[in-house]
Structure formats: C-alpha cells, structure tokens
Amino acid sequence: MKETNETNDLQKAGLKATLPRLKILKFLESTAVRHLSAEDVYKAMLDGGDEVGLATIYRVLTQFESAGLVTRHHFEGGHSVFELNEGKHHDHIVCVKCGKVEEFYDETIEERQHLIADKNGFSMTDHALTIYGICSGCQ
Amino acid sequence: MKETNETNDLQKAGLKATLPRLKILKFLESTAVRHLSAEDVYKAMLDGGDEVGLATIYRVLTQFESAGLVTRHHFEGGHSVFELNEGKHHDHIVCVKCGKVEEFYDETIEERQHLIADKNGFSMTDHALTIYGICSGCQ
DNA sequence: AATTAGAATGAGAATAGTTCGCATTTGGAG
DNA sequence: CTCCAAATGCGAACTATTCTCATTCTAATT
Ligand SMILES: [Mn+2]
Ligand SMILES: [Mn+2]
Ligand SMILES: [Zn+2]
Ligand SMILES: [Zn+2]
C-alpha cells in the first residue's frame, strides 16, 4: 500500500512506475537547475550514481511531456530544453553570454497574443516567447 | 559601371558578388514563399536550373544573416528557417496543421518585452515570439 | 510467492540537419 | 591580363535525436 508521490504521479499519468522513470522524475523535482537538455539530465544522473541510458532519457522526457509532467522549449540553437511543469505557465529570458534563464509571466502579452491569433483567423494552441539579452552579471 | 541591385547589395554588405550568392539573393527576392529552410532553397534553385551546393547554401545564408540581409528563425521542430530581411521587424503565427506562416507586429508586446528585460536586469538584444495555432483553412 | 504477457530498457545503428576540410575554381584589385 | 585570397563543391564528420531489437522488468493473475 505504501506508495511514493512519484509512483502515484506516474500512475495518474498512465505510466508504469519503472525505475528509470522514477529516478528521472525525482531528479527533476530535486535539481536546482530548472532548464535542462536531455544530455544534461543524462550526465547529472550519472554523477548521482543513477545510470539511465540516453535513449531512455529522451523517451521518458517525451512521455512526460505528453503527460503534462514536463515542458519542452527550443531556446536558440534549436535543441530541446526540458523543465518540470509546476502548473504555472511562463515565458523566458535567456542570457546570451552565460546561458542564465529567468522566468516571467505578463498578462498583457498573453492577452495580446490571443487577440492577434483571432485577428488572423487562427485558433491559438500554444506560443513560445523568449527574450534574449545580457544579464546583469555579464554586462 | 553597370551593376545590378544585387551586386551592389552584396558589396555594401562586404561580400564578393559571386555567382552562387547572386543566384541565392535573386531567388530570395523573387520567391512567393517567404519562409524557407536551407533545403527548400536548395531544391527551389535546382528546379530553377541554378545548381548550388547545399553546403554553399548554408554558408551563404549564414553570411547573409550576419550581414543583415536575411533573418533566421527556429520554428518548432528545431531546424532553421530563413527569410529575406525587408527591414521591418515582425513576429510569426504558424499553423500547426498546414505550416502556413503569417506575420504580425504588435507595438504593445514590443514595449512590454523591453520592460520585462529591464525589470530583470537584462539588456535585451533580441527576442523570438511565435504563436502556434490552427489557421482558418484548417479548422 | 511463482508465472507470465506485454511494456520498458539499453546499446548501438540509423537519421536529419548542419558544419567542416580540402582540392579546385573564381572574382576583382592591381 | 595576372595572381592570390576568397569562395565553392564534394564528401566526410558532427550533433541531437530516434529507431531497432534482444533482454529485462512491472504488475496483474494464479
Ligand atoms: Mn521555465
Ligand atoms: Mn517573417
Ligand atoms: Zn549572463
Ligand atoms: Zn493551416
């Protein structure tokens, strides 16, 4: 009967509570760095003594994305960056020097996006807004 | 003394007016499809009887980008999309069904982005905003 | 607790998009 | 017209990601 939070989260998402999935989910919940590439996750888990194949990392992150447990972003360069989904939508501001990522939410921008979609006859399904700049520490 | 517009544009950009660069620039100026991948450009030029090596397409598009002649985007999927730079900044709304791309410019969003960058101590250098949705023709 | 069928994993091959290395060609300054 | 640095074409190399498939694991059922 004793079930961990993570086991429950996975089952609620319709995913078997396998060891790799549990390890990845726990890692995402515990890491201080919120925005990570698949390779980042792979290496961090290696360092933590939890070896999971890279292909599995990719598969699981994609499954987590479909299940709404994580979000995927494409910051410049094109490759995927993942973060644990904490439920609150936000966009990003990225330092082009050091890679630092800050999060923000702006109601006005969100509203305008819907207006623009409507004006163009689109029913909006999603959006991606990333501001690039140089952070205070880098200038 | 007789110089084509394109030859001048290239020279102003500090680029030698080579045949491949002239062909690519003329193609970008004449095509009805504004947003193209390197492969798209490659194939379109083949069809037009102007064969240019794919590596050259990539090199030239990147040089054009540095020179400000074209802009590069990363719509979802990760691979690069290029468009001729007509001088007026804009963002994009992309149909996730058919790939149709519309352009828009919203002063309020532009202003807010600067505010947000400032508030976070960033000096903004760039931004990428793409709205995804389903176009009128696809719903 | 043992069985078991189907789902998940790991390892490496395969793929897509892009860049690189280098021998050959070309543009344009002199 | 000459000549060299710059540009091109080709295939090899690379990077991020997905696929294949033999092996292992999960969890439902005896
Ligand atoms: Mn985030
Ligand atoms: Mn555009
Ligand atoms: Zn920085
Ligand atoms: Zn459409």
Side-chain angles (χ1 to χ4, degrees), chain B residues 10-73:
Chain B
L10 289 177
Q11 285 169 346
K12 265 185 286 179
L15 297 169
K16 286 213 295 203
T18 65
L19 240 34
R21 296 210 266 234
L22 285 169
K23 288 175 179 175
I24 294 171
L25 184 53
K26 280 180 190 157
F27 167 70
L28 292 177
E29 288 170 341
S30 64
T31 180
V33 185
R34 284 188 54 75
H35 306 89
L36 302 136
S37 69
E39 190 82 34
D40 290 339
V41 175
Y42 176 68
K43 291 203 199 113
M45 309 241 332
L46 260 191
D47 291 350
D50 290 311
E51 180 148 14
V52 176
L54 182 55
T56 299
I57 303 267
Y58 274 105
R59 272 185 302 235
V60 168
L61 287 174
T62 301
Q63 292 157 352
F64 282 7
E65 184 190 15
S66 302
L69 293 173
V70 311
T71 309
R72 181 195 303 251
H73 309 292

Side-chain angles (χ1 to χ4, degrees), chain A residues 34-35 73 83 90-92 101 103:
Chain A
R34 283 188 54 75
H35 306 89
H73 309 291
E83 77 175 304
H90 57 261
D91 292 300
H92 299 91
V101 179
E103 305 182 333

Side-chain angles (χ1 to χ4, degrees), chain A residues 36-47:
Chain A
L36 302 136
S37 69
E39 189 83 33
D40 289 340
V41 174
Y42 177 69
K43 291 203 199 112
M45 309 241 333
L46 260 191
D47 291 350

